[in-house]
Amino acid sequence: MTTLPPITNNPDIRFLGRLLGDVIRTYGGEALFKRIEHIRSTSVDRHRGVAGADGIELGLDSLSLDDTIAFVRGFMLFSMLANLAEDRQGIAAEPGADVATAIEKLKAGGIGREAVLALLDQALIAPVLTAHPTEVRRKSMIDHKNRIADLMLLKDHGAEETPEGDRVDEAILRQIALLWQTRVLRRERLYVADEVETALSYLRDVFLPTLPALYARWERVLGERPPSFLKPGSWIGGDRDGNPFVDAAAMRLALARAAEAVLGYYLDQLHSLGAELSISTEHVAVDAAIAALADKSGDNAASRADEPFRRAISGVYARLAATYQKLTGKAAPRPGNLTGEPYADPAAFRADLATLARGLVQQGNGPLSTGGALGRLIRAVETFGFHLATLDMRQNSVIHESVVAELLKVAGVEADYVALDEEARVALLRRELESPRPLVSPYADYSEQTASELAILRAAADAHARYGRECIRHYIVSMAQSVSDLLEVHLLLKESGLYVPGETPQAHIMAIPLFETVADLEAAPAIMTRWLKLPEVAAITRARGHQEVMIGYSDSNKDGGYLTSTWQLSKGSTALAPVFEEAGIGMQLFHGRGGAVGRGGGSSFAAIRAQPHDTVQGRIRITEQGEVIAAKYGTRDSAVTNLEAMTSATLLASLEPDSVDPADAARFAAAMDTLSDTAFRAYRGLVYGTEGFTTFFRQATPIAEIAGLKIGSRPASRKKSDAIEDLRAIPWVFSWAQARIMLPGWYGVGAALRGFEDKGLLREMASAWPLFAATLANMEMVLAKSDMDVAARYAGLVEDKALSEAIFGRIREGWQETHDGLLSVTRQTRLLEKSPALEASIRLRTPYIEPLNLLQIELLKRHRAGEADARIGEGILLSINAIATALRNSG
């Protein structure tokens, strides 16, 4: 048996754990503290192999329902505090995952700063926040955790008191006490407005102040000021695929709240600048442009007569306050005495700020000429505009088809559009797109669905007029399977003036196909070849310079399994590159990655670097969701770490020569084809080809109970159906994680590794091919977080014992095959042997997860047996929350 290295808790975990124990003792009582401490210490001793620990009962059976709920809360809070401590250690930070190191690495390979700057001139890197529901914690819990993080920073710096005069340790203790007394579960389901506010807190409180500071760092590293190539995006308020609650009103709310936040931030920064720039004409000669800006400000206060910068800023502030009033319909938070014309757009506002900056520079090459707060504000305006984050629209192609069919029928153009084949559809749509005549009539009655879709398109057009075109640039077409699916979007955009026909047509919003299933990914190159060859599309894309394609990890995984999904996404990207090269159009890939490996999760740095050669090209967008948003962007420090990683990986993936020789690449690809085929058959055979598998899944996991968590506004299934095909990928992955099976992240890979004869080739691929290495690393993490002994207890929930034994037997056997195959390929004696920090992290929290699983199973039994005590349902939901917190990447 392999001897595991000892685990030493880092000092932060010991400190915070001790404080949590003090809080439980104070507010829960000594008896509760002792029960929880007995369970904790016994479970820890068992997992660390302490002699005699196996014979000691955990004591779970003795817990009352009230004690059970308190216990689950205690273990959840420990996991949350452990996560905080690990984040402070920088476990998530990967060596070399920063821009300075990337530039040095490129330089060592003969690629200089000029090439980096040339790439950045046309680059786009965009983390896109989505409302996909995998964040189980209330925002109040996250806020308390972040306050603890801030207090720990004070402690790091040797401070004994907070700026408010409290002792630091006591302030941390108070925050933990507040966590203990804060309600964990949401009582009401989330609405879109709630999701908007949650995302806004990250964009306003983290992205807004962090990105300008990061750009200042990158400017120093590059020796030149780069353009704003990294900008956040959002789906929240625009993603209506399967979410009936996202409508025109929701979109208007999302855009208005974002504008309110960003303009409020600019006003605050201007106010601070006005206080700071007290430059007097008694000591310096002021540039004529500054004097002119000051004179037209209307600020004639005698006390500032010799302070042209302050007077100029007063005028700029007045104009921005008027802009705030115009765009939000509200008075500025700190209205001034002056009046001004609203700025027409962010460029006009930036121009005045640039005038101020040039005025400082022209005073000499002193400390006031190097940017500072004014430079950061200019950078913020360039990055965030008046919209804060670009909002994507998304809808399913089936909805577009239905709406277009109704419009054509009501207009008397085509009675049965749905019955047309693809060629006829394309011909008809292209004819309609050439005509300036609208299809929509104000005198016609349309179905509720069509009326809603038209309303949201009108809202998008209004947003362009109000906030500028950067506020909405992308329209994602889910389940895109043909050219007509994209042309339908152009036709709908045309009805609201967002597609303008003519000799040189214009599309103010880009139609973007989302290829999700394995079959869709295989068909993507043919679809994009035909799309880019349409003359009107070619003209639009040439003017824009690029066309985006989104590739979906979630549905391809649920459809074909982990290995096949990963490989098909890579093959699809590779196959698309020559299509775009032939068309002379830049390719921009949008990766629909999620938090869990089954949804494309794992290290963003490794994933971007593992992309096929010539597919990144300096332009990449990546979805961020749920608990991953809090983990990556919950604090400014974590945001800096992750944005640096995303940027450095993009530079390396775009500029480094291919690390794999073409001959080796061909051998590796052929091997991966074989592995993928075997894994696909194994996965499909279990999930879709085994009678009773759906029953096993629904009874062995808490999928039904997860629906009770108020964690998102979107339904769990696309249709009212129990079929796995109709279930959304998030609850699919989430429920397997709760049961510690993690099936979407590994099943089928074991059969593929076992059946592949040339084991030496597999080892070569693992060491020399970034894609295969990243694939195995992500799967290894999932295997380490799974537990087949605990999973067997969940399988015991299945009513048909013969069915349970048959299916779980295959799952257990598949896990062991995958485990053994991985260790053989990676030449390890145990999982995560080569990743000691991650191994220690998982081993630290495993003793805290198992008791939660065991309690959850017992509560599920009682709930499903019909016990009506409300505390049982609450305990189940709390356990789901606690297990997800401990696992970190759950759905």
Side-chain angles (χ1 to χ4, degrees), residues 283-333:
H283 301 294
V284 299
V286 174
D287 176 68
I290 294 293
L293 196 60
D295 289 343
K296 74 175 184 179
S297 70
D299 183 356
N300 299 314
S303 60
R304 290 187 291 276
D306 66 327
E307 297 174 339
F309 280 90
R310 279 183 165 169
R311 290 173 55 224
I313 289 172
S314 294
V316 173
Y317 188 97
R319 292 194 66 187
L320 191 65
T323 308
Y324 185 100
Q325 171 83 42
K326 176 185 174 184
L327 296 187
T328 71
K330 303 176 183 179

Side-chain angles (χ1 to χ4, degrees), residues 68-142:
T68 295
I69 290 171
F71 165 79
V72 172
R73 287 170 55 222
F75 269 39
M76 182 205 66
L77 292 181
F78 176 81
S79 296
M80 180 183 287
L81 295 172
N83 293 346
L84 183 156
E86 288 181 353
D87 290 343
R88 284 169 44 77
Q89 273 190 312
I91 283 178
E94 297 168 80
D98 62 272
V99 170
T101 303
I103 289 174
E104 287 304 312
K105 183 174 173 53
L106 290 169
K107 181 180 178 182
I111 301 167
R113 278 182 169 77
E114 296 77 12
V116 175
L117 289 165
L119 180 78
L120 293 179
D121 277 341
Q122 53 84 43
L124 174 68
I125 303 172
V128 181
L129 309 188
T130 81
H132 288 4
T134 61
E135 174 56 82
V136 293
R137 297 167 297 176
R138 290 178 64 215
K139 185 64 167 55
S140 298
M141 303 289 287
I142 297 171

Side-chain angles (χ1 to χ4, degrees), residues 144-157:
H144 287 308
K145 187 206 76 169
N146 288 343
R147 292 187 192 106
I148 294 170
D150 292 339
L151 290 165
M152 292 294 285
L153 279 175
L154 285 178
K155 189 177 175 68
D156 291 343
H157 297 146

